[in-house]
Amino acid sequence: MVKGKLENSKVNPYTCSSGNRGFQNNIGEMDCGEECSPRTSSLEILRAGLSNNYRGVIHFSYLYDTGKKMWEVIFQDILSGEPVAMGRPRAGKYGMYTPSRSKKYLEDHLEPTREKYSKSNLAPLEGPLKVHIVFIFTRPQRLLRKKDPDSRIWKETKPDIDNLCKMVLDLLTKAGAWGDDKQIVSVEAEKYYCSKGEAPQTTYTIYTRTK
């Protein structure tokens, strides 16, 4: 069930059964913002990712049952560009410093992310939180042959997924998404080479516990 609406979104436009314009989000919900039915969903949308022309913020609520407890999707967004792992602090002449590539990624995404959270009127989020992250890397030429699949391919090489997650979680902490990163009680992450024609990016979804 979708509660709320999609704001400033450009994700897979569609027309619902009632003729209203809407969008398909990356967990498969088709939402026009109205109480229309039927709504369709597809697990494959997770593999397909969000449209490359996405420039806005999806803000809506989606309830699902984990068996015993309910979680609610509260915020989704895309970080464009090649995913970057958080490098280990290094010792320099004037003390410890963050590697330049990691520092640049943080600087490039911090203000836009902070602005989106500010406009959403959601942050800082409270209570236990769950984060799902999908890292999508540029596919190398060796995997662009005709016989290679068009869909995403698991990336089994570096960077390590824990350092990739640290980058996103640190970024969201600095952007004020939540009061303290100790609120994160669950993290799910995947890393892929992009599908043919897809741009590199990182998508993330934040869930809160329902009351």
Side-chain angles (χ1 to χ4, degrees), residues 19-211:
N20 296 311
R21 293 290 291 172
F23 303 91
Q24 185 179 47
N25 60 59
N26 73 340
I27 58 173
E29 283 293 317
M30 305 290 268
D31 186 20
C32 65
E34 305 292 337
E35 291 300 321
C36 301
S37 65
R39 300 187 189 278
T40 59
S41 74
S42 169
L43 293 177
E44 286 302 312
I45 197 67
L46 278 172
R47 297 294 302 276
L50 299 179
S51 171
N52 290 337
N53 69 351
Y54 177 92
R55 292 295 182 273
V57 177
I58 300 180
H59 168 209
F60 65 99
S61 299
Y62 176 81
L63 301 181
Y64 74 99
D65 192 345
T66 60
K68 294 182 179 180
K69 301 175 180 178
M70 298 288 286
W71 290 90
E72 180 179 17
V73 175
I74 197 67
F75 198 88
Q76 292 180 305
D77 196 18
I78 288 180
L79 303 173
S80 60
E82 196 78 11
V84 174
M86 177 60 77
R88 294 182 179 179
R90 299 176 183 175
K93 183 177 180 180
Y94 301 104
M96 304 299 289
Y97 69 95
T98 301
S100 59
R101 190 160 182 251
S102 300
K103 183 178 180 180
K104 185 177 187 306
Y105 188 88
L106 278 172
E107 291 174 346
D108 288 347
H109 290 91
L110 181 57
E111 285 306 316
T113 302
R114 182 179 287 151
E115 183 178 356
K116 289 175 183 179
Y117 275 101
S118 176
K119 289 181 178 179
S120 73
N121 295 319
L122 292 172
L125 299 172
E126 299 178 347
L129 302 170
K130 176 179 178 178
V131 183
H132 178 240
I133 314 171
V134 180
F135 303 99
I136 307 164
F137 289 81
T138 300
R139 186 186 290 216
Q141 285 295 321
R142 62 182 174 81
L143 295 176
L144 286 173
R145 300 167 297 182
K146 287 186 178 181
K147 67 178 183 180
D148 293 320
D150 293 337
S151 58
R152 293 176 184 170
I153 302 173
W154 291 110
K155 178 176 170 59
E156 302 177 54
T157 58
K158 288 184 175 295
D160 295 344
I161 201 164
D162 57 337
N163 293 326
L164 289 166
C165 289
K166 180 170 175 53
M167 171 64 79
V168 174
L169 296 179
D170 283 3
L171 171 65
L172 296 178
T173 298
K174 292 178 185 296
W178 40 67
D180 194 305
D181 55 9
K182 67 184 179 183
Q183 294 171 240
I184 309 301
V185 299
S186 177
V187 177
E188 296 178 356
E190 304 145 36
K191 60 177 182 175
Y192 302 93
Y193 287 120
C194 60
S195 58
K196 291 179 179 178
E198 184 180 24
Q201 57 192 279
T202 300
T203 70
Y204 68 88
T205 306
I206 302 176
Y207 303 78
T208 63
R209 281 287 304 279
T210 57
K211 297 180 180 180

